[in-house]
Amino acid sequence: MPKLSTQEVQEFLAERGHLARIATLKPDGSPSVVPVWFLCENGKIHITPRKHSEFGRNLRRDPRVAITIDEEGGVYRKVLVEGRVEFLYEDGQDALWRDLYRRISCRYVDDASADYYINETIDQPRSLIAVDLAKAKVTTWRMPREGEPYTGIWAKRYYVDGSKMRKQAESGGGADAEKLRIG
C-alpha cells in the first residue's frame, strides 16, 4: 500500500477540517472511540478532553491510545497513531493554553465562531493532552497515484490465493490508478 511521505503527513495533518478519532480503553478493557478536534504542532497531536469526558478519564487510568485521521474523498489519505498520551495541562489550567485551544477551534470553524465557542464554554474546564509522533507508531496509507500499480492498495496478505489481484501483485503487473480513475 502506498505510504505518505513525512512531508505529506505534515501537510495532511495541517489541513483544516479532518477529525481525529481517538480510541481509549474503558475500565472493563473494552474499546471506546470518540471523534475529536485536534491540532498537530511541534510534532505532537494535541487534543482537549473536557473534565468529565469518558475518554479523558480512560486516559488518566491508561495512557495508551490509538488515533486515526483520514479523509473520505480524494486520495483517501489515512494516518494511524498508536502511542501514549501525556497530560500537558490539567483540568482548569485552560487560561495557560487558551491560545492553542483557539488554534484548534479555528481549524474547524471561522475565527468569529471559534471566539464565540470559546467564550460560551470558558467555564467548562479542559485538560490538554498530546501524543508525541516521534515516540509513537505512525502508519500511513493512500490510494495509488497515476502510474502506480493498483495492486499496491493493500498488503499482499489480503489478496486471496489464486485471485486476479494476487496474481497481478505477484507478477508486478496490474491495473493502474488512471484506468480506475483514482488520484
Side-chain angles (χ1 to χ4, degrees):
M1 176 157 305
K3 307 288 183 209
L4 299 172
S5 69
T6 300
Q7 181 176 340
E8 288 172 323
V9 170
Q10 291 169 349
E11 290 170 357
F12 176 63
L13 295 179
E15 289 176 8
R16 291 178 54 116
H18 300 301
L19 286 176
R21 288 158 189 87
I22 184 167
T24 61
L25 295 173
K26 295 179 183 181
D28 66 2
S30 62
S32 175
V33 179
V34 178
V36 294
W37 289 358
F38 77 97
L39 175 69
C40 185
E41 256 184 19
N42 302 318
K44 294 182 178 182
I45 301 284
H46 296 88
I47 297 172
T48 61
R50 289 185 187 212
K51 182 176 183 174
H52 298 292
S53 70
E54 180 181 22
F55 82 92
R57 282 193 308 272
N58 291 344
L59 291 170
R60 287 187 187 286
R61 191 186 61 265
D62 185 340
R64 293 178 298 167
V65 67
I67 300 170
T68 60
I69 302 162
D70 62 334
E71 65 184 345
E72 294 180 17
V75 293
Y76 300 98
R77 298 167 294 176
K78 298 171 184 359
V79 174
L80 169 62
V81 178
E82 298 170 287
R84 293 180 171 274
V85 300
E86 173 187 359
F87 279 79
L88 302 178
Y89 290 97
E90 294 298 329
D91 296 331
Q93 295 180 313
D94 306 49
L96 299 175
W97 55 275
R98 191 159 289 122
D99 59 324
L100 189 139
Y101 185 52
R102 186 176 189 282
R103 290 195 303 278
I104 292 172
S105 299
C106 287
R107 286 177 39 80
Y108 298 93
V109 296
D110 62 67
D111 290 357
S113 297
D115 290 336
Y116 181 78
Y117 176 71
I118 291 167
N119 287 332
E120 289 298 304
T121 63
I122 204 162
D123 64 348
Q124 301 299 308
R126 295 176 181 270
S127 55
L128 177 63
I129 62 172
V131 177
D132 187 335
L133 296 176
K135 296 178 182 176
K137 177 183 177 188
V138 178
T139 307
T140 70
W141 60 99
R142 61 170 171 74
M143 294 296 279
R145 293 186 180 119
E146 182 177 344
E148 292 178 329
Y150 196 72
T151 53
I153 190 170
W154 297 319
K156 288 181 185 177
R157 70 180 178 271
Y158 292 113
Y159 297 126
V160 175
D161 286 339
S163 70
K164 173 182 152 184
M165 291 301 281
R166 169 68 83 154
K167 290 175 187 172
Q168 289 175 343
E170 289 173 350
S171 71
D176 65 23
E178 175 63 19
K179 290 180 185 171
L180 296 169
R181 302 189 193 284
I182 295 174

